[in-house]
Amino acid sequence: MIRPGPPLLLVLLAGWICACRETSPPAGSTVESKPGSGPKSSVAFTLREKDLIPEGIAADPATGRLFVGSIEKRKIVALSPDGKERTFVPSGAAGLGPVLGLTVDSANGLLWAVSEPAGRPKSDPGTFHGLYAFALADGSLVRRVELPRALGPGHQLNDLCLDAAGTVYATDSAAGAIFRAGPKEKTLSELPLAPGAGQLLRYANGIVCASGPARLYVATADGLVAVDPMAGTVVRLPTPPEASNALGRLGGIDGLYLEAPNRLLGIQNGTAVGSDSVIRALLDPTGLIVERIEILEANQPLFEIPTTGALLNDSLYLIANSQIDRYDKAGNLDRRKLERPVILRLGL
């Protein structure tokens, strides 16, 4: 149920839940559970601040570091392979707002972050609405790309990816759109889509930049879609039939990742599909049909709205307990029941 006047973030979560419950995917593919019913992941890190409210995570393959963004503290922390935690970008640096999506640009030594004022129900006014690029070397600001203020309300940037040419793409969950910026552009512009194509991007969330051919995979309320950024076309990937445990759907995916060509990993919020889970979607040679879904993790006791992950050394590191649901309808954070955030490692 959507309560009167909730914050935008909670409205989107509620809308996501309702949309996924309404979806009835067609038959045609298979769903497989990996052997064993217990948790397959293990605790990699336990963060210090209970009220961090982490949403985004990214990995630097060159150093093995993980970066975790905070909604509540408006900062980014770094986790070294030996378990040390430190502040990488201080709270509110250069107008940084609540941090949602994160991704590493290894080629240019950058950490990209989504700064979304609406991500925190009681966000500080004046925070930057757009994308940041920080130097991996020291966390210094290298670049900001703004969502044009003239667009007004009704937008919530969520996740992002970069293609081989250095163009950055970001999903807009509120508007059901995709924004982009070239390597030298200072503002985001909406990706032009064919007539009617935008209807398939309802509650756009996780996004993957794939190549060969150039393609964007996007997680939406109704499943996964493939976007041709040059032609502006959007097609929904056929989904497998529902499994008895409701995990066979492709709705409810937050974080989305390309494990290998034609192999996608998704982190599902359990309120939408019956249980928090991590799934693998295996695509056909065209990359436009889901042939099989594997359930890699489910029923992990530490899960409390898992959000996003990062691929590193044949493992998926994911935020187990974002605790986003600890915000009440007025946007206040209930700190009484908060636990320390946990990063899990799931071997692939």
Side-chain angles (χ1 to χ4, degrees), residues 8-10 12 100 114 116 118-120 129 147 154-159 171-175 204:
L8 176 57
L9 175 64
L10 302 186
L12 291 172
L100 299 188
V114 172
E116 177 48 68
R120 177 175 178 265
H129 197 184
L147 185 72
H155 297 273
Q156 182 175 0
L157 300 179
N158 199 323
D159 210 348
T171 52
D172 182 341
S173 296

Side-chain angles (χ1 to χ4, degrees), residues 5-6 55 80 100 120 318:
E55 206 280 343
S80 61
L100 299 188
R120 177 175 178 265
L318 64 147

Side-chain angles (χ1 to χ4, degrees), residues 16-17 20-21 33 37-40 242-254 266-279 295-307 318 320:
W16 185 286
I17 292 167
C20 290
R21 286 177 176 168
S33 294
S37 58
K40 304 169 188 65
E242 292 184 70
S244 60
N245 58 8
L247 288 178
R249 300 185 179 194
L250 289 175
I253 292 177
D254 192 332
I267 300 173
Q268 290 180 306
N269 296 147
T271 47
V273 290
S275 178
D276 296 323
S277 59
V278 180
I279 63 171
I295 301 168
L296 304 182
E297 178 71 295
N299 304 314
Q300 163 59 260
L302 293 172
F303 278 164
E304 184 182 350
I305 308 185
T307 52
L318 64 147

Side-chain angles (χ1 to χ4, degrees), residues 210-288:
S211 58
R215 179 178 291 156
L216 306 175
Y217 289 107
V218 182
T220 76
D222 305 305
L224 297 179
V225 300
V227 180
D228 183 329
M230 299 300 294
T233 56
V234 182
V235 296
R236 181 175 295 138
L237 275 59
T239 54
E242 292 184 70
S244 60
N245 58 8
L247 288 178
R249 300 185 179 194
L250 289 175
I253 292 177
D254 192 332
L256 185 67
Y257 311 97
L258 188 66
E259 180 188 15
N262 291 350
R263 279 164 49 186
L264 295 169
L265 299 178
I267 300 173
Q268 290 180 306
N269 296 147
T271 47
V273 290
S275 178
D276 296 323
S277 59
V278 180
I279 63 171
R280 175 187 285 133
L282 292 94
L283 311 182
D284 77 335
T286 70
L288 298 176

